[in-house]
Structures are given as C-alpha cells and as structure tokens.
Amino acid sequence: MATPQTRGNWSGRAGFILAAAGSAIGLGNIWRFPYSTAEGGGGLFVLIYVVFVLLIGLPVLLTELAVGRETGRNPVGAFKKLVPHSWWPAVGGLGVLTGFGILAFYSVIAGWTVGYLGMAVSGKLGAAVDGESSAAIFGSFVANPLWAIALSGLFLLLTVLVVRRGISGGIERLSMVLMPVLFFLLMALALRSVTLRGGLDGVAYLFTPDFSELSYRVIIGALGQALFSLSLGMGAMITYGSYMSKTENLWKAGGYVAMADTGIAILAGLIIFPALFFAQADVTAGPGLVFVVLPTIFNQMPLGLIVAISFFALLTIAALTSTVSLMEVCTAYFVDERGWPRKNATAVIGAGCFLLAVPSALAFGAVSGLSEGGWFTWDFLTLNNNIWGNYSLSIGAFLICVCAAWKWGVPRLLEALEGVAPRYPIPMRGVLTFMIKFICPLAVLLVLIFIVVTGEYF
Ligand code: TRP
C-alpha cells in the first residue's frame, strides 16, 4: 500500500491552487461553455450556470477537497476510510470510471486543438475569413478520421508523460507558468472581440436571460457544466486534495479555484459571442462552435497569426492540465488500492483510453461528414459527453454530498476543511452546513428526477 511519502505532495499552497485551477480551467471553459450556452439559449443558461456554481459547485468543491485531504487517498480509498465496510467506495469507483470516460472524449477535442495549432502555424487558418469559409475548414478537418485518431493518441501520450512524473515534479510544474499567460491572452482577445462591429450584440446575448428558453434540458446542461467546469462529481478534487498539507486553509484555496474557473468561462463567452455576431456564423454550431468562430476574429486582428498560434498553443496546454487531472484520478486508484507502480498505471490507462477514444474520434468526423455537412445529433462523442460529463457527474456529486454530510457528518467535514489553520467565521460554517446537508443534494436530486420523469435525456 502506498504511503504518504511514496504518493507525493504539492510543494505548497500556490502549487496546489495552480494545479487545481489547471484542472478546472480547460476545454470545459473555452470549448464546452460557449457551445452549451448557445444550445441553452444564451443569457438564461449563463445565469443558471452561475447560480449552480455558487449554490452547488463551491460547496461540493470544498467537500471534495476536505474529504481528500482528510483521507489522503484516491476516491475509492477515501470512501473506504470515511465509511468502512459499506458500499460507499462504489461511489469512488464510479468516479474513477467517469474519469476514464471523460478522458476518452476530452482527448479527442484536445487533439483538435493540436490540429488547429498546426493549421495556424502552417497558415491554413488564414483562409477562415467569415463564418462560412471557417466552417468549411473545420468540416474538412474533423471529417478526416485518421487525423482525429492520431492527434488524440498524441494527446494521451503527452498526458501519460506528465502524470508518470508524479505530483510536484510533473503536474504542478506544468501549471505554474502557463495559467497566468493564458489569462492575459484571453483578456486581450475579449477586448478585441467586444470592439468588433456588432460585438455588443454578443455581450447582450451572453448576459440577457430569456426566460421563455427555460427547459429541463437547459437546467441539467447548466448543472452538468458547473460540475464539469469545476472538475467535480467524480473525485478529481478528492484526489488533488489528498496531496495537500494539513496546514492549508481549504476555504480560501477552494474559493480562488472557483473564482478563477468561472471568470475564465465568462471571459471565453466574451470572446466567442461578440465574434459570432460579427462573423454571422451559425450559433448552433455545436461542438464545432469555438473552432469555427475563433479563426475569423484572428484574421481580423493585427498580428492575427501570432495571436492564433499562441492561442491554440495555450489552449492545448490548458487542456493538458485538465487531462492530467483526469488521468491522475485513475492512476491514484491503481497506485493506492492495487499497489501498481505509477509508471505502469499511466501506461495501461493511456492505452485503454486510446481504444475508447477511437469511436469518439471516428463518430464525430466520419458520421457527421456522411450526413452531408449537417451535424448528426447522435454521435458517440456527444453521447459520451452527456453520459459522463452530465449524468455521471451529477449522480456522483449527489452521492458525495450525501455521504459527507449525512454519513461522515458536517462537524468532521468542517474540521477537515480547516485542518490546523485558524477556524473560520461561524456564519460561513453555517452557510456551508446548510448547503451541503440540504440545498446541494436536493437541488441535484430534483434535477435528476425531472430528467427521468420528463424523459428529456439529451
Ligand atoms: N474541468 C475541466 C475543464 O473544464 C475538465 C476536467 C478535468 C474534469 N478534470 C475533471 C471534469 C474531472 C470533470 C471531472 O475542462
């Protein structure tokens, strides 16, 4: 069994925050958030998403971190320690499986970012002058299944190379420099985008809720997005918390991570939607949205080529700090519970994930290509995205809340949250207690029940 010495640790608070923010900030913010917003009708989706981040995301984030630090284990081991001799470790098992499932489609999209980086460097993206020409470039890119498969394989390989080096030497080092650079580049892009002709219409679209759009689909989508974006509901933050020292105050660390993640998602929206209105591209472009819209604004900017190259390079890195966290959950399971050497675990997970990534890479490109340029609504990538990225995370978050609040107990949770750091003000503790005992599990449960009753699955 792995000891704390052999498992590894973050070097300190900054290292943890950057790595956890690195996990949270990724394609979920820049690729998934904009197109989910478009599918959810704009401002209303954003509003519900932000409410879910505050009401559910932040409390669940704090809970996962506390459970992880207290137990010092992967999700399965953590539940074994919290509630010995019970079926609760199965919740951790579902988490490990979910990490695997998400990684298998996430790496396909991450592969697209690498492909776009290549096209930016070779100057091919220069031809994307408006919505139509850009959509054509995207269409022919994803319709080539060999590229999609090779690039997602490459991405999984990169992920393996980082995760096998361990916690502070691999994961932490990667996030330290690159997250701040990403932020400044996004700020610059948002400024350019909102000042484009028609840009303010995009800002209005993002911030004006239209309540006639309300549906269960919008609500489950926003819940899934809040959980997905914060890397919650499957034990990624349990795992990251398990490498953290007892002297840190988790309230603050968790707060910073949630703030950074939500801020960057909004920033990405401020880039995409103004540009979308400017380029008059199709709002319902689905998973291709970002890839179609962004190149058109790069081509409207001074130094657009350099911006395009740096943007896709950084997006690739942001994706990598997230795939690394997904793989780390599965790796920690094999290291802690099965006693495998880390290097073997990463190799096996990487290879297994690649096999599962192939149908996602194929389905999206080949099938949608066959349907004469129209998007096939039922493809393997979207299916995986919904099953693992919405439903499984929601079920996981519900069970994690119930276990921590009702089996383990809120007093122990609060103590674990503070570690040996000073106590937090009473009102904050009260709010969290109320949220984690009642609001979070009830809200998630209601959403899940409505989904089943109304049959609005996807
Ligand atoms: N949060 C990441 C993103 O927004 C994706 C991710 C990484 C994730 N680890 C996770 C999602 C764990 C759910 C669970 O891109």
Side-chain angles (χ1 to χ4, degrees), residues 227-261:
L227 296 174
F228 186 90
S229 192
L230 287 168
S231 303
L232 297 175
M234 51 141 303
M237 290 298 171
I238 294 183
T239 310
Y240 271 28
S242 76
Y243 303 120
M244 207 173 174
S245 122
K246 296 262 197 259
T247 54
E248 299 298 340
N249 186 334
L250 291 179
W251 285 95
K252 265 196 203 147
Y256 286 140
V257 171
M259 227 159 37
D261 183 61

Side-chain angles (χ1 to χ4, degrees), residues 23-24 26-29 102 106 228-229 231-232 234 236 322 325-326 393:
S23 165
L27 298 174
N29 307 58
I102 294 180
Y106 201 96
F228 186 90
S229 192
S231 303
L232 297 175
M234 51 141 303
S322 298
S325 76
L326 290 160
L393 293 182

